[in-house]
Structure formats: C-alpha cells, structure tokens
Amino acid sequence: MALLDVLKMGNPLLRKTAIHVDEIRTNEFQQTIDDLIDTMRFQNGAGIAAPQVGILKRVFTMEMEENPRYPNKTPFPLYVAINPEIEILDDTLINSWEGCLSIPNIRGQLKRYKRVLLKATDRNGNHYEEKLDGFAAIVAQHELDHLNGTLLIYRMESMETLSFQEEYEKYWL
Ligand code: ZN
C-alpha cells in the first residue's frame, strides 16, 4: 500500500487542467490508480482526483462505504473514472455541503446537479456509463472539477456557509 501526499489549496497544481490519459494498462498508471484508492480510503475521502496528488492526468476514484467524515450518506461502490465526462440528466440543482481532502477541516455549501451520467473508462480500458443520483452524483461532479482545476470554494455563490468542520457539525448538521 502506498499513501501519497495530498496537495493543499494554494498549491498551483490544483488549479491546472489535467491531461487526457492515453496509456491505461501500463504498470506505472495501474500503480497510480492503486495509490489513489489507498490514499482516498486512508484519508476517509469520498473521492480523490489525480491532480490532488500532483499527477496531472484525467483520472479520479470515488467510493462510499461506512465513512466517519460522511455519516448518513448513501453508499456507492468503487469507481475508477479515466478520461471521465459528465452529462446532466436532471438539471435540478441541489444544495451540497462538501469538504475536500485538499481543504482540510473545511465545509461549504454549493449547488450541484441532482442526477448525472458518468461516462468514463475503467482501469481495464473498458468504457462504461453509470447513472448517478444524489451524493454519488455530487462526488463525481466534485472530482471532475479537480481535473479542470476547480475547487469547491470557487463554486460557492456565498461564503456565508464556509465553516470549519467542528462548527459545521455543531451549527449546520
Ligand atoms: Zn476535493
């Protein structure tokens, strides 16, 4: 198991646009995927994108099992999303309280689409499409943003909900 350092907000790599992945079945890239999964799980993240560990490639992983950072969230299985795209299935916007491994101990509320279609390639090189709803849809949108250099804070219409984790749990949850 290899744990990678997660870059924090302010690191310029987090504002870069990641590049398309051409070579999926190389040892190096497969190792990157394993490291992303290990790091995501170790940090109790719902997802992680390669730029967050300083790798500017279009890949993210997401998974939700029992997670102390996200109590009461509906679980979803592990997705490895290479060269992902998102199609909006329902343009209803929902309020989303989000955190980010690159912005530790901070929560903020923003709007996300309620239902999306995640179109991506898996780690074996196979294309897949998955309809995602609710929290899974939110996580996919959050992670895709990382591939385009966008952090959740940039999408907040108002900073009034910007909260430290402890205050979020105390006053907003
Ligand atoms: Zn994030």
Side-chain angles (χ1 to χ4, degrees):
M1 179 162 112
L3 299 176
L4 304 173
D5 286 334
V6 177
L7 307 184
K8 302 296 189 303
M9 181 170 63
N11 188 311
L13 288 178
L14 291 171
R15 300 203 314 277
K16 299 255 193 245
T17 300
I19 60 163
H20 188 273
V21 178
D22 295 316
E23 300 279 348
I24 291 174
R25 302 202 63 156
T26 62
N27 289 340
E28 188 195 1
F29 188 68
Q30 292 292 321
Q31 186 65 51
T32 295
I33 293 169
D34 286 335
D35 294 348
L36 283 171
I37 294 168
D38 289 343
T39 304
M40 171 181 72
R41 288 176 175 166
F42 182 76
Q43 301 239 11
N44 292 317
I48 193 169
Q52 290 182 277
V53 296
I55 298 170
L56 287 174
K57 292 184 175 174
R58 300 191 77 78
V59 54
F60 67 73
T61 64
M62 55 184 267
E63 179 184 47
M64 175 56 55
E65 294 181 326
E66 292 297 301
N67 189 326
R69 284 183 73 234
Y70 295 93
N72 312 317
K73 293 293 187 189
T74 310
F76 55 81
L78 174 67
Y79 293 102
V80 174
I82 301 163
N83 300 323
E85 289 175 45
I86 280 179
E87 195 179 304
I88 298 154
L89 295 178
D90 180 345
D91 63 5
T92 306
L93 291 167
I94 53 174
N95 285 323
S96 168
W97 275 101
E98 294 178 24
C100 182
L101 297 177
S102 295
I103 316 171
N105 294 313
I106 292 285
R107 294 297 174 105
Q109 194 183 54
L110 58 149
K111 305 273 191 201
R112 296 286 190 190
Y113 294 109
K114 188 177 186 303
R115 283 178 67 235
V116 299
L117 182 68
L118 172 64
K119 302 192 277 190
T121 300
D122 69 17
R123 65 184 303 167
N124 299 314
N126 299 316
H127 181 78
Y128 67 92
E129 299 192 353
E130 191 76 29
K131 285 178 186 162
L132 303 175
D133 197 356
F135 189 55
I138 286 167
V139 175
Q141 290 169 79
H142 177 117
E143 301 310 331
L144 183 63
D145 271 354
H146 276 301
L147 304 185
N148 296 321
T150 298
L151 300 177
L152 73 93
I153 288 175
Y154 309 168
R155 290 204 181 271
M156 291 173 65
E157 286 168 8
S158 159
M159 289 295 142
E160 289 177 18
T161 59
L162 194 64
S163 305
F164 288 100
Q165 178 74 22
E166 202 178 325
E167 280 63 28
Y168 162 73
E169 288 171 12
K170 203 166 161 185
Y171 299 110
W172 293 98
L173 200 59

